[in-house]
Amino acid sequence: MLRYVLSRLLTFLPTFLGVTLISFGFIRVLPGDPIIVMAGERGMSEERYQEMVVKLGFDKPVLQQYWDYLTGVLQGDLGESFVTKQPVWDEFFKLFPATLELSACAMIIAIALGLPAGVIAAVNRGKFFDRALMTSALIGYSMPIFWWALLLIIVFSGNLGWTPVSGRIDLLYYFDDVTGFMLIDSLLSGQEGAFKSAVRHLILPTIVLGTIPLAVIARQTRSAMLEVLGEDYIRTAKAKGLSPLRINGLHALRNALIPVVTVIGLSVGTLLAGAILTETIFSWPGIGKWMVDSIFRRDYPVVQGGLLMIAVIVMIVNLSVDMLYGVINPKIRKR
Amino acid sequence: MKARFLMAAGALALSTSTAFASTLVYCSEGSPEGFDPALFTAGTTFDASSHPIYNRLLEFEIGTTNVIPGLAESVEASDDGLTYTFTLRQGVKFHSNDAFTPSRDFNAEDVIFSFERQRLDDHPYNKVSGGTWTYFTSMSMPDLVESVEKVDDYTVKFTLTHPEAPFVANMAMDFASILSAEYGEAMLAAGTPEALNTAPVGTGPFSFVAYQKDAVIRYQAHEAYWKDKAEIDNLIFAITPDASVRYQKLRAGECHVMPYPNPADIAAMKEDPSIIMMEQEGLNVGYLAYNTTMAPFDNPKVRRALNMAIDKQSIIDVVFQGSGQIAKNPIPPTMWGYNDAVQDDNYDPAAAKAALEAEGVTDLSMKIWAMPVQRPYNPNARRMAELLQADFAKVGVTVEIVTYEWGEYLSRSKAMDRDGAVLLGWTGDNGDPDNFLAVLLGCDGREASNRAQWCHQPFEDLIQKAKIVTDAGERTALYEEAQQVFKEQAPWATIAHSMVYMPMSTKVSGFKVHPLGGHIFYGVSVE
């Protein structure tokens, strides 16, 4: 197992270097000079422009700039935002808990509903439930997030008044961040009704963000289950008279889990991409909206730092998924 | 202070309706870049910093562009227009926070500190928080101000390098907000000078309580404000970037005031009995700038002929969805000095075609540049360019529409040899006509903000003279004449001034739409 872990960790290093190179290069390939974008219609004198070029380090050769960035990253310094003048690292950690909280809730809902839905659909293959579920999953997968979110807001918040429109908690509750996770902080605050308010604010964004992973997990579980259900050992189990719950829940599902876990791992990337739109619509103060703003403003340090951090998180999740394969299927770790 | 707010919030949380009695929630459109207004240029930042937290020596009267006394009780200009002496108000208190309690009232030291940090390279605060001072430099203050001197504790003298009448209006701009020198020293000593930008202390009607990035900004009324205390106790900015979501929050009672509604929602908002819709002409202009150095656009008759071919009313209907008005002058009608006697070019394609032919212009092909971004003065430049393309086609002119990424657009459109006419616009900074006419059409602005590359001496003489004289009547006459010259020479097709809409709950009273674009909550109350 240790060798397996080490071999996975070794692949981490070149990927990390590649990500620094891509994140550094990506924003520079885009047309648009950050200094001119900053000045807007007002413009600035040539002399002032040159001052800014020196101040932001653009006068150095690109390789030197990359080297400075890389050495900074290795020392834990992601630079300062051109716009807010705040360290990128600080901004990331202020905003990331909000994204993590929302993504985790969306993922929990997606797994909690997607997995049983896929199993039930597979067991009832071709029947009404299967067809209804798979059609819903296809619709869920194809729905534009922006439209879906606005529809839910207009119906449930605007017309019915059941859920709040946006934000993380009712504005009348005010307490300092302890963990950055609103569910936990609202409990710690001890203020009456704060936790309930935080939960109510999570409902719509969780549904919106969880819709696509839910659809993907349900479909993947169904197809993996169908494959396993046709295997000889399942027929043997049936012949032995085991209960359907034991056959489907233990023998079939465990063997169907590998592709499902892969999909769940890959969904983390999808969640972070979906968070960009979901956060913008629900005024959710996470890293998605922060990244989009920084791209439009050509805020190089934020784009570089943010991309790098997101890539590292996705890499860590995928590494964990790789480890999990070994737990689910012992054969894999021996390879 | 924080504890008191907490208690208030906790108690108020029990009953939403009671809570809103003294709390105003404003659904702002974006996050501030920071809280030191001199470091930034965005209106969103000024809404969150300079308007609630700070004062300036002079202020714009809310709802107008008139300059009135602020932290200075009076200002006196010397006869040669080279020195301005400000007499400061006494007994003005700064806010306090967890890290700082002021030991003295506002005085001349604070004025010196607020300007010298922007002006002097060796000032300890010059490089703090990136120190770009973009507005200060873009208003040419480094070249204009020779010195800022303390005469006594309550008198400050500004000496200028040359006479410039708009200086007075500049002193009411956001970058001229007054910070506490004592707070500056304290934070420098504590090794946290950037606190001026993150934990602001000012003299304004509201003191800063907390900012949760991209989510909420909280303020509370400044008890010792030098004017009457604000009518609302707590001011909350709920950052809500999507206009449709802001509208839903207003409907659901989650906020009281929202800026920048979707044009498509305006009609429904006007019908809604729970919403008051305030509106005012914006202090802006959207225009099409010809390159007046390139044939055949170097001929004013050709430019005027093309202007006659533009159906501006269709543009107002389609691009602005009715929320704009036709522009005939380069400055908006809400600004002093506006010349209403100027006659706009009639929309007359037949006459336009004949005028072009008379100048020997046939089979003309040209480019029109369409901005890639939305602005109040041009909500959809691509659509506007298409309408212009259709209009010009009727007079035999073929148009190719081009566009670039915004930074590239701004940069390339400045070029002296630029091929084509460019769509752009401007929103006023200080309510002075000089801020439009000299910046956008003056000879010095060529290859920069003067996108028409236009330098016409009779016009230049008028605006330069208006810069120097201090008599308001004389300045008005000069600017009126300059607009007449502009119209005859037609370096631009002036297209539109947009309307500004502010939907708000019927519970809100006392709000005034500010022509300079700011959203100001002093003097506003909530039921």
Side-chain angles (χ1 to χ4, degrees):
Chain A
M1 186 71 184
L2 187 67
R3 253 182 77 184
Y4 174 69
V5 173
L6 282 178
S7 72
R8 305 312 296 171
L9 276 176
L10 271 182
T11 60
F12 201 91
L13 205 65
T15 318
F16 178 81
L17 274 178
V19 168
T20 60
L21 199 61
I22 290 169
S23 61
F24 178 86
F26 157 73
I27 187 74
R28 283 169 174 74
V29 173
L30 289 182
D33 183 329
I35 301 174
I36 290 172
V37 170
M38 254 190 273
E41 289 97 326
R42 276 171 183 80
M44 61 171 65
S45 65
E46 184 57 28
E47 185 191 0
R48 183 82 192 137
Y49 178 85
Q50 290 306 333
E51 261 177 47
M52 291 290 289
V53 165
V54 175
K55 199 169 208 164
L56 300 177
F58 295 157
D59 54 331
K60 296 178 190 164
V62 177
L63 273 179
Q64 175 73 40
Q65 287 181 45
Y66 175 67
W67 180 249
D68 291 348
Y69 164 60
L70 190 63
T71 47
V73 166
L74 293 175
Q75 292 166 47
D77 176 13
L78 295 176
E80 264 183 18
S81 160
F82 289 165
V83 177
T84 63
K85 332 286 183 199
Q86 301 290 311
V88 174
W89 189 260
D90 289 1
E91 290 202 339
F92 181 85
F93 281 102
K94 257 183 213 157
L95 299 171
F96 185 62
T99 301
L100 186 59
E101 186 171 47
L102 176 59
S103 305
C105 288
M107 193 47 114
I108 289 168
I109 294 289
I111 295 172
L113 297 179
L115 218 56
V119 173
I120 297 170
V123 174
N124 297 289
R125 182 183 188 182
K127 293 185 187 158
F128 173 76
F129 183 80
D130 179 29
R131 285 163 197 243
L133 206 74
M134 286 306 108
T135 310
S136 315
L138 190 64
I139 294 172
Y141 185 70
S142 325
M143 208 145 41
I145 289 186
F146 201 82
W147 176 83
W148 178 222
L150 275 180
L151 185 77
L152 290 178
I153 289 177
I154 290 170
V155 173
F156 292 102
S157 310
N159 295 336
L160 297 171
W162 292 355
T163 49
V165 178
S166 71
R168 290 181 81 191
I169 193 163
D170 198 300
L171 292 170
L172 298 170
Y173 297 105
Y174 168 52
F175 37 80
D176 289 328
D177 278 359
V178 180
T179 61
F181 298 99
M182 194 55 84
L183 291 176
I184 299 172
D185 289 354
S186 60
L187 275 177
L188 293 178
S189 77
Q191 290 186 28
E192 195 183 327
F195 179 71
K196 195 175 152 197
S197 173
V199 171
R200 276 164 47 82
H201 280 79
L202 256 170
I203 296 172
L204 291 190
T206 300
I207 293 174
V208 169
L209 188 58
T211 300
I212 292 178
L214 167 62
V216 173
I217 291 170
R219 287 179 68 88
Q220 184 62 48
T221 310
R222 177 184 177 271
S223 65
M225 278 292 287
L226 283 179
E227 201 172 307
V228 174
L229 286 176
E231 296 281 337
D232 289 347
Y233 62 87
I234 297 290
R235 216 171 306 141
T236 312
K238 278 182 186 166
K240 278 171 68 184
L242 291 184
S243 71
L245 191 67
R246 202 172 155 81
I247 297 171
N248 297 326
L250 188 72
H251 295 290
L253 184 60
R254 178 156 185 187
N255 285 291
L257 269 184
I258 292 260
V260 176
V261 168
T262 309
V263 165
I264 293 172
L266 292 174
S267 293
V268 172
T270 318
L271 273 182
L272 290 173
I276 291 172
L277 279 176
T278 315
E279 287 177 2
T280 305
I281 300 169
F282 288 99
S283 319
W284 197 266
I287 53 167
K289 198 186 153 297
W290 176 65
M291 288 292 297
V292 174
D293 287 349
S294 66
I295 292 171
F296 283 123
R297 289 164 168 172
R298 300 289 186 273
D299 193 345
Y300 288 6
V302 172
V303 178
Q304 286 166 190
L307 273 181
L308 183 68
M309 293 301 288
I310 292 172
V312 168
I313 290 161
V314 173
M315 279 154 61
I316 292 172
V317 169
N318 280 297
L319 191 70
S320 316
V321 168
D322 282 358
M323 308 282 178
L324 205 58
Y325 289 161
V327 176
I328 297 170
N329 185 352
K331 276 196 241 164
I332 290 180
R333 62 179 175 233
K334 287 181 187 146
R335 275 177 206 158
Chain B
M1 185 178 288
K2 202 175 203 176
R4 193 172 57 217
F5 185 89
L6 256 168
M7 276 162 52
L12 293 169
L14 298 172
S15 158
T16 306
S17 55
T18 324
F20 277 157
S22 61
T23 299
L24 186 136
V25 181
Y26 168 62
C27 275
S28 61
E29 75 285 6
S31 306
E33 298 147 297
F35 292 90
D36 181 349
L39 290 168
F40 307 106
T41 56
T44 308
T45 300
F46 297 151
D47 282 346
S49 59
S50 51
H51 302 321
I53 300 169
Y54 298 102
N55 291 119
R56 289 136 291 278
L57 292 178
L58 304 172
E59 302 270 3
F60 292 112
E61 187 181 3
I62 301 172
T64 74
T65 55
N66 299 335
V67 176
I68 57 169
L71 292 181
E73 283 176 327
S74 64
V75 55
E76 206 176 303
S78 64
D79 290 341
D80 60 4
L82 285 174
T83 57
Y84 285 81
T85 308
F86 292 85
T87 306
L88 308 183
R89 201 173 289 280
Q90 300 193 21
V92 175
K93 309 279 183 207
F94 278 102
H95 310 144
S96 52
N97 62 21
D98 291 344
F100 171 73
T101 305
S103 68
R104 61 164 177 81
D105 291 349
F106 155 76
N107 68 22
E109 295 295 340
D110 303 310
V111 179
I112 308 269
F113 171 75
S114 301
F115 288 95
E116 297 296 58
R117 70 194 183 116
Q118 302 186 57
R119 206 171 70 85
L120 303 177
D121 281 346
D122 57 352
H123 192 280
Y125 269 93
N126 188 261
K127 306 284 184 287
V128 171
S129 298
T132 41
W133 319 116
T134 310
Y135 240 124
F136 186 77
T137 45
S138 77
M139 300 307 288
S140 305
M141 296 293 277
D143 300 330
L144 179 63
V145 178
E146 192 174 274
S147 66
V148 189
E149 292 161 84
K150 172 180 167 179
V151 177
D152 60 48
D153 273 358
Y154 291 98
T155 312
V156 176
K157 189 170 85 177
F158 282 74
T159 305
L160 308 187
T161 53
H162 55 268
E164 186 160 301
F167 172 75
V168 172
N170 289 356
M171 297 309 277
M173 286 177 65
D174 304 275
F175 75 81
S177 295
I178 302 298
L179 278 67
S180 162
E182 195 188 4
Y183 185 46
E185 280 165 27
M187 292 303 104
L188 203 59
T192 54
E194 62 285 350
L196 268 65
N197 184 35
T198 54
V201 164
T203 57
F206 295 96
S207 61
F208 174 85
V209 175
Y211 171 44
Q212 286 164 286
K213 189 170 166 55
D214 292 347
V216 187
I217 315 169
R218 294 171 191 273
Y219 309 87
Q220 66 175 15
H222 180 26
E223 294 287 341
Y225 189 45
W226 56 275
K227 285 202 259 187
D228 292 338
K229 181 178 165 264
E231 290 184 48
I232 41 180
D233 296 322
N234 301 308
L235 173 64
I236 299 179
F237 280 30
I239 298 166
T240 315
D242 188 86
S244 307
V245 176
R246 286 200 292 277
Y247 177 29
Q248 292 304 323
K249 281 179 86 87
L250 187 64
R251 279 183 68 205
E254 289 181 27
C255 59
H256 295 108
V257 184
M258 63 165 277
Y260 311 116
N262 273 334
D265 290 336
I266 288 171
M269 288 174 169
K270 284 182 175 172
E271 298 281 301
D272 192 328
S274 65
I275 292 176
I276 310 171
M277 178 67 93
M278 297 191 81
E279 54 185 80
Q280 195 186 42
E281 294 100 348
L283 199 76
N284 59 42
V285 62
Y287 59 80
L288 176 76
Y290 302 105
N291 185 345
T292 58
T293 62
M294 306 280 277
F297 307 103
D298 54 348
N299 178 352
K301 288 179 182 161
V302 171
R303 302 194 296 255
R304 292 198 65 167
L306 287 170
N307 286 359
M308 276 197 290
I310 300 173
D311 180 1
K312 294 184 190 175
Q313 191 55 50
S314 295
I315 293 178
I316 299 291
D317 294 342
V318 175
V319 178
F320 291 83
Q321 299 190 27
S323 58
Q325 63 179 131
I326 290 175
K328 63 178 180 180
N329 285 326
I331 63 173
T334 42
M335 182 173 262
W336 64 268
Y338 181 79
N339 188 347
D340 206 16
V342 166
Q343 288 293 313
D344 201 9
D345 306 297
N346 283 329
Y347 171 54
D348 189 345
K353 192 166 187 184
L356 284 174
E357 281 166 3
E359 293 306 310
V361 177
T362 50
D363 295 330
L364 175 64
S365 293
M366 65 181 288
K367 285 180 182 163
I368 288 183
W369 293 40
M371 301 143 52
V373 293
Q374 262 191 346
R375 283 291 184 271
Y377 54 73
N378 192 342
N380 188 342
R382 180 85 204 178
R383 191 80 191 95
M384 193 185 277
E386 286 165 3
L387 292 175
L388 291 169
Q389 187 180 40
D391 286 341
F392 285 178
K394 288 181 197 153
V395 298
V397 177
T398 312
V399 169
E400 182 194 345
I401 299 171
V402 294
T403 192
Y404 299 95
E405 180 282 330
W406 186 223
E408 285 292 301
Y409 189 93
L410 291 168
S411 168
R412 291 187 190 207
S413 59
K414 283 184 205 162
M416 204 61 147
D417 59 351
R418 182 194 69 228
D419 181 13
V422 64
L423 282 173
L424 209 64
W426 186 257
T427 301
D429 298 308
N430 59 9
D432 196 299
D434 176 77
N435 181 238
F436 279 72
L437 300 178
V439 173
L440 304 176
L441 295 156
C443 293
D444 288 348
R446 289 195 300 173
E447 288 193 271
S449 50
N450 178 350
R451 277 354 195 250
Q453 314 296 1
W454 187 60
C455 181
H456 184 63
Q457 209 51 49
F459 179 88
E460 183 70 13
D461 292 344
L462 288 167
I463 59 166
Q464 286 304 336
K465 191 170 173 202
K467 229 185 226 280
I468 296 167
V469 294
T470 47
D471 179 71
E474 203 179 333
R475 291 190 73 202
T476 302
L478 288 164
Y479 285 130
E480 283 178 351
E481 198 184 335
Q483 287 164 76
Q484 204 73 51
V485 175
F486 167 88
K487 202 70 199 170
E488 286 157 19
Q489 291 292 315
W492 301 347
T494 49
I495 294 175
H497 308 293
S498 76
M499 295 292 290
V500 175
Y501 288 94
M502 283 294 290
M504 63 194 71
S505 157
T506 46
K507 292 176 181 165
V508 176
S509 55
F511 188 88
K512 289 181 185 161
V513 180
H514 195 45
L516 286 162
H519 302 103
I520 301 168
F521 297 98
Y522 180 66
V524 178
S525 60
V526 188
E527 270 175 37

